[in-house]
Amino acid sequence: MPPTLQKAVRTPWFPSLSISRISTSFLPFLYPQQRPASILSGISDNPGAYHKKIRRGRGPSSGKGKTSGRGHKGQKQHGKVPRGFNGGQTPDEVVHGIRGFDNVFSVDMKPLNLEKVQSWVDQGRLDPSKPITIRELAKSRCVSQVKDGVKLLAKGSEHLTFPLHIITSRASASAIAAVEAAGGSVTTRYYTPASIERIIRGKTDPIHSLQSRISVEGQQERKQYDMRLPDPTSRKDIEYFRDPAHRGYLSHQLEEGQGPSLFFKTPGTGKFVAKAVRRKAASAAENRIW
């Protein structure tokens, strides 16, 4: 037995332990750790983290020897060929043209189903007593990588049990009907990609702006934020959020019987103004002799 261990056994605070038990429990502390020098040769990456480079032109047994996988002769073997090159023949893009187009007015909405919202509420990751905005959805990881906004969909609406108050960018008609049938409310409002980033960072109010009149149950007192939430400026966005059928937050701007369109007037709401030409024609007909 090493002298250090013998000295430890003789100490009065080890009266009830046997020598064999002390030796097995204290050996790691009595002797310094020793590792062989060959451990450095066994260090390697995790499986799949490193891909071996293909060595070309190193003999036929490698499968990439002699011609190195390029084949025999021609431009593809000797040099590089542009994409879509037909050997000097008229390119297909010129003969047939390029079909389709990129819609610059399209928006990239993140879909959100009611069954996922209800699942997050059941797990305690969303509080149904407070308004559910883009900030709560992003912080709870219910949605991620939001670009232009979030659209509420009605998949799994039969599982909805709590009255939820949701504020999103878009909402389908069936989702609105399901939430309101459960005693909740849906409000759609305008967001930009930059404002969504500021909302997630907590620098912008996720609900209120200059033109909004949103009142939601469970809403706390308004705080002071560094930056203001924008309102829509294009006609397409203004007409969408003025529509009560979409539960838009600008629907309070409409008068009774007025439609959301900024261009077309609702039949029966305009005032009829008789033209002076018609009055002159009527007076002229009365003064005719024959």
Side-chain angles (χ1 to χ4, degrees), residues 178-235:
V179 174
E180 292 180 349
S185 64
V186 176
T187 305
T188 59
R189 70 146 298 123
Y190 176 75
Y191 296 105
T192 61
S195 65
I196 292 174
E197 293 181 2
R198 294 195 298 265
I199 288 172
I200 295 175
R201 294 199 305 265
K203 294 185 176 181
T204 304
D205 193 330
I207 300 176
H208 300 287
S209 60
L210 291 179
Q211 300 182 14
S212 65
R213 301 290 186 274
I214 303 174
S215 59
V216 184
E217 295 183 6
Q219 182 180 353
Q220 299 177 354
E221 297 181 359
R222 296 180 61 175
K223 301 179 181 179
Q224 296 293 334
Y225 291 91
D226 298 336
M227 309 186 80
R228 190 174 59 197
L229 195 61
D231 289 311
T233 55
S234 66
R235 172 187 162 187

Side-chain angles (χ1 to χ4, degrees), residues 6 10 12 19 29 32 41 46 63 76 78 92 118 120 127 149 164 170 186 199 226 231 242 246 249 265 268 280:
Q6 294 177 359
R10 296 193 195 101
I19 297 176
F29 303 99
S41 62
N46 295 327
K76 293 182 179 180
H78 293 155
D92 293 338
Q118 182 62 44
W120 254 240
D127 188 1
L164 305 177
R170 301 281 193 275
V186 176
I199 288 172
D226 298 336
D231 289 311
R242 277 163 54 98
H246 299 152
Y249 78 108
K265 293 183 178 180
K280 290 182 179 179

Side-chain angles (χ1 to χ4, degrees), residues 113-115 118 153-161 174-175 177-179 182:
N113 291 300
L114 287 175
E115 61 179 2
Q118 182 62 44
L153 303 177
K155 182 180 179 181
S157 58
E158 63 275 5
H159 304 297
L160 195 63
T161 57
S174 53
V179 174

